[in-house]
């Protein structure tokens, strides 16, 4: 029998795929070779047709590649090995001190530049996963289920144990980013064991006093805290000149580090189950280091770091250079974009405010037709991760705003535009796409680019009177969207809801998906909260009772404090919703109410399938309308109530979309 070369290659690949894990280089070497070649995780993942999380798992030792990717991965590494031999052990790396990563400007060494860290991470780093949950019996539960004995009795001993004996951590998400520091979650038993109270007495600042014995013990051992102090998420570190970071993140469980509004009842999980759920979130999103809102914004920076190390050819020194496409410096908002507390909003007229918020609209009950009033059900549809879907392909400003009078509108230029949309006709059975309350605008107002672009899409050509535009712009959210979309889809799949289900199967799976696995249900809720919280953080308002309007606050110093970007995301989410509503209205279906990403329709039956129109020839959903499915931007069944209930709520001034998911909702199929 004669064999062709491709057949022989395939046979060799199959043989390589059967090799034991030690046939590949060790995890650290895999990562070193990739970074030495200047290939980032996203590039390798796309080439091998796997997720970034898969590449990260291969390079941390948490998992091994499987066929058919294994053979291709081995070829990639084998080709790089002779080109990038390891540096001698005594050769110092040209790297400036690395300091603990922060969510705000609280890191005393955050502005220092560092050289490329192709071999800066020791082989054992991240070998045991990103985190551990410590109980009161000296057992640290790792995310892979491994228990470790932890003999530490003081916080400084705990930090030393974590850095030198647990090998915890996670790889960076971008070649110019930083690895995630180890996270140790303290249960109530562990909290007591280290001399910490189970309840923080200072409920305003949520931190221990500086003279608390636990804090003074850390200071005595030369450990430092960030400016947020010792609260539910304390970060403990030492400045270092070595290549190994010395920083540990703690999360204090009884201090409500994991808010039930974002994490369900995850705080009540046994330590091993808690470690597994948090590990899944860390592998799919990032290692938690604060609230889900903090995580959402930190993920933006981790995927698009503001700076990269650049070597001066004349002096040989390293200095920070900008990373193209990133937010690299704080920029003041344009006056219409500023929140009311901002210095730019002082003496601003109410008509000069950019009001881009989510929908809260109800239809006038007197405009219901006899047929609509006679229908037995009101059915709610909810857009999956609507704000995440809105970031997909969105172009946002990367630099400062420029004021222009009588500009020509450009839908590709981010900014806010003063225009008169009051002349555009409005069907009273539909919400206006231009205002959050759905009522037609009555005078010229400021609009974000997606809103004004939608007016042009509808066939109108309003001429802006003036604008604040951002000539420097780009798709900042692209990696954030992809990363969180993958995390969401993977978590839904773990709950039994996959992308290959048809509409009926999808609705059936969704009736019980949160009951499949409490841990995965908690991760799902946290991912959703990460999306919404991260977008909300773009316009973080002042914290505390001592702030006075017109005074700056710390969040303004972050490059990611960008209320204009938040406005653009919400604007696009709202116009995306209106586009679907408009298409469905053309098919004869008009909504009763809209609240953010939820819309309610009259229906002959209790299921969305009872009113969503299909193409008569193919049986597929009518293009441009609501499509049932798991992906971001697709829709799910939010709930069903009797139509008289919805009408009564409308007449009382309530919004049925706010309550359609109530416990009294009529279940589909009953």
């Amino acid at each position: 029998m004669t064999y062709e070369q491709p057949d022989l290659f395939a046979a060799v690949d199959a043989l390589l795929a059967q090799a034991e894990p030690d046939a590949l280089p060790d995890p650290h070497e895999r990562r070193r070779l990739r970074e030495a070649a200047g290939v980032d995780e996203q590039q390798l993942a796309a080439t091998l047709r796997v997720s970034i999380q898969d590449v990260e798992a291969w390079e941390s030792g948490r998992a091994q590649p499987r066929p058919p990717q294994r053979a291709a991965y081995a070829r990639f590494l084998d080709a790089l090995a002779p080109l990038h031999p390891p540096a001698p052990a005594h050769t110092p790396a040209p790297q400036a001190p690395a300091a603990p990563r922060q969510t705000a400007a609280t890191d005393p060494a955050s502005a220092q530049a560092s050289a490329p860290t192709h071999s800066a991470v020791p082989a054992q780093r991240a070998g045991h996963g990103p985190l551990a949950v410590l109980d009161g019996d000296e057992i640290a539960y790792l995310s892979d289920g491994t228990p470790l004995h932890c003999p530490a009795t003081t916080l400084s001993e705990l930090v030393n144990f974590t850095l030198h004996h647990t090998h915890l951590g996670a790889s960076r998400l971008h070649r110019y980013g930083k690895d995630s520091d180890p996270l140790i979650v303290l249960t109530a038993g562990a909290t007591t064991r280290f001399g910490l109270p189970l309840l923080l007495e200072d409920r305003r600042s949520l931190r221990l006093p500086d003279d608390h014995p636990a804090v003074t013990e850390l200071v005595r051992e030369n450990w430092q805290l960030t400016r947020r102090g010792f609260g539910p998420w304390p970060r403990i570190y030492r400045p270092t000149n070595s290549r190994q970071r010395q920083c540990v993140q703690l999360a204090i469980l009884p201090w409500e580090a994991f808010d039930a509004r974002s994490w369900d009842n995850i705080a009540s999980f046994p330590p091993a189950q808690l470690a597994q759920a948090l590990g899944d979130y860390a592998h799919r999103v990032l290692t938690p280091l604060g609230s889900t809102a903090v995580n959402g914004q930190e993920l933006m920076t981790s995927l698009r770091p503001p700076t990269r190390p650049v070597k001066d050819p004349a002096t040989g020194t390293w200095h920070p250079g900008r990373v193209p496409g990133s937010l690299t410096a704080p920029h003041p908002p344009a006056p219409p974009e500023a929140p009311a507390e901002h210095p730019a909003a002082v003496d601003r007229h109410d008509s000069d405010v950019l009001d881009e918020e989510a929908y809260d609209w109800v239809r006038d009950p007197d405009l219901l037709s006899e047929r609509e009033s006679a229908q037995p059900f009101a059915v709610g549809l909810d857009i999956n991760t609507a704000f995440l879907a809105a970031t997909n392909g969105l172009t946002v400003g990367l630099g400062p705003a420029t004021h222009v009078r009588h500009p020509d509108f450009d839908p590709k230029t981010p900014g806010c535009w003063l225009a008169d949309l009051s002349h555009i006709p409005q069907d009273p059975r539909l919400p206006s796409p231009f205002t959050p309350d759905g009522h037609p605008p009555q005078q010229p107002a400021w609009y974000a680019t997606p809103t004004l672009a939608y007016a042009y899409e509808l066939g109108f050509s309003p001429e802006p009177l003036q604008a604040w535009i951002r000539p420097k712009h780009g798709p900042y959210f692209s990696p954030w969207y992809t990363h969180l979309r993958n995390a969401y889809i993977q978590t839904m799949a773990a709950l039994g809801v996959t992308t290959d289900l048809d509409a009926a199967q999808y609705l059936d799976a969704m009736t019980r998906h949160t009951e499949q696995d409490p841990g995965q249900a908690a991760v799902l809720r946290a991912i959703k909260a990460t999306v919404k919280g991260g977008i909300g953080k773009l316009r973080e308002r002042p914290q505390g009772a001592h702030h006075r309007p017109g005074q700056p606050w710390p969040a303004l110093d972050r490059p990611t404090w960008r209320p204009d970007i938040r406005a653009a995301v919400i604007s696009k989410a709202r116009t995306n919703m209106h586009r679907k509503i408009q298409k469905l209205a053309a098919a004869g279906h008009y909504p009763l109410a809209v609240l953010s990403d939820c819309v309610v329709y009259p229906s002959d039956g209790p299921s969305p399938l009872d009113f969503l129109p299909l193409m008569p020839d193919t049986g597929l959903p009518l293009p441009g309308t609501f499509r049932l499915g798991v992906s971001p931007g697709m829709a799910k069944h939010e709930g069903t109530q009797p139509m008289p209930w919805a009408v009564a709520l409308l007449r009382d001034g309530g919004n049925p979309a706010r309550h359609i998911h109530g416990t009294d909702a009529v279940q589909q199929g009953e």
Side-chain angles (χ1 to χ4, degrees), residues 292-342:
T292 49
V294 168
N295 296 339
Q297 193 159 79
E298 177 64 23
L299 182 62
M300 296 178 195
T301 304
S302 296
L303 292 168
R304 284 199 185 272
T307 60
R308 61 187 177 92
V310 177
K311 190 174 184 178
D312 188 325
T315 64
T317 59
W318 296 88
H319 60 89
R322 294 186 174 184
V323 176
S326 295
L327 300 177
T328 58
H331 295 292
E337 301 164 346
E341 303 90 344
H342 195 276

Side-chain angles (χ1 to χ4, degrees), residues 109-177:
S110 61
Q112 295 182 350
S114 60
T117 54
H118 296 324
S119 58
V121 182
Q124 74 271 19
R125 184 64 186 267
H128 284 166
L131 56 88
V133 176
L134 184 61
D135 70 6
D137 297 324
E138 302 185 354
I139 302 297
Y141 295 86
L142 307 185
S143 58
D144 63 1
T146 303
L148 290 180
H149 176 245
C150 175
T153 58
T154 66
L155 288 176
S156 59
E157 290 177 356
L158 173 62
V159 174
N160 281 310
F161 172 82
T162 302
L163 293 175
H164 301 298
H165 299 286
T166 64
H167 307 162
L168 296 177
S171 302
R172 68 198 66 181
L173 298 177
H174 188 282
R175 64 180 303 187
Y176 296 128

Side-chain angles (χ1 to χ4, degrees), residues 207-496:
R207 57 188 287 174
L208 287 179
D210 292 340
D211 60 355
H212 189 278
V215 177
T216 58
E217 186 266 337
L218 287 171
V219 173
R220 187 168 58 250
E221 296 297 325
N222 297 319
W223 292 104
Q224 298 182 23
L225 297 169
T226 59
R227 284 188 292 184
R228 61 184 175 184
F230 201 105
W233 289 91
R235 183 175 287 271
I236 305 170
Y237 73 97
R238 277 180 184 154
T240 174
N241 291 323
S242 70
R243 292 181 299 173
Q244 176 63 53
R245 292 157 61 82
Q246 295 191 47
C247 183
V248 173
Q249 178 82 62
L250 301 184
I252 316 298
L253 210 58
W255 295 0
E256 300 179 350
F258 298 97
D259 192 326
R261 293 171 297 181
S262 300
W263 289 93
D264 279 339
N265 62 338
I266 198 172
S268 65
F269 286 7
Q273 184 184 13
L274 175 60
Q276 180 180 3
L278 293 177
D280 286 340
Y281 178 89
H283 294 322
R284 296 169 195 169
V285 183
L286 84 169
T287 305
L289 42 72
S291 68
T292 49
V294 168
N295 296 339
Q297 193 159 79
E298 177 64 23
L299 182 62
M300 296 178 195
T301 304
S302 296
L303 292 168
R304 284 199 185 272
T307 60
R308 61 187 177 92
V310 177
K311 190 174 184 178
D312 188 325
T315 64
T317 59
W318 296 88
H319 60 89
R322 294 186 174 184
V323 176
S326 295
L327 300 177
T328 58
H331 295 292
E337 301 164 346
E341 303 90 344
H342 195 276
V346 175
D347 298 327
R348 182 182 61 187
H349 194 273
D350 290 345
S351 62
D352 287 329
V353 178
L354 176 68
D355 187 20
E356 294 286 8
E357 298 294 342
Y359 267 134
D360 187 354
W361 171 84
V362 296
R363 193 181 346 161
D364 184 342
D366 293 333
L367 297 179
L368 293 175
S369 67
E370 291 185 7
R371 177 182 174 278
E372 289 175 320
S373 299
Q375 289 180 302
F377 299 105
V379 177
L381 292 173
D382 183 82
I383 304 299
N384 297 325
T385 57
F387 295 117
L388 178 62
T391 66
N392 186 20
L394 180 66
T395 299
V396 302
L398 303 178
T402 300
H403 186 249
V404 184
R405 293 192 177 276
H406 302 291
D408 293 328
F409 178 67
D410 179 5
K412 297 181 180 179
T413 300
C416 61
W417 312 74
L418 180 63
D420 188 356
L421 306 183
S422 61
H423 64 283
I424 296 179
Q426 171 72 39
D427 187 329
R429 296 170 294 179
L430 299 178
S432 167
F434 310 126
T435 61
D437 63 9
H439 299 307
Q442 301 298 312
Q443 59 188 8
W446 290 93
Y447 300 99
T449 296
T451 300
L452 198 57
Y454 189 56
Y456 279 78
E457 180 183 324
L458 294 175
F460 304 97
S461 303
E463 297 182 1
L465 304 174
Q466 54 178 302
W468 289 89
I469 60 174
R470 286 177 167 79
K472 183 180 179 181
H473 51 265
Y476 176 73
F477 282 114
S478 290
W480 195 76
Y481 167 79
T482 301
H483 191 86
L484 284 169
R485 177 196 180 277
N486 291 342
Y488 177 78
I489 293 295
Q490 186 176 354
T491 306
M492 290 296 288
L495 290 166

Side-chain angles (χ1 to χ4, degrees), residues 377-381 592 598-601 637-642 645-646 649 655-666:
F377 299 105
V379 177
L381 292 173
L592 299 175
C598 178
V599 57
V600 178
Y601 280 94
H637 181 206
E638 182 68 7
T640 297
Q641 294 277 12
W645 167 89
L649 198 58
N655 190 327
R658 189 183 302 277
H659 308 285
I660 197 74
H661 190 55
T663 56
D664 295 331
V666 178

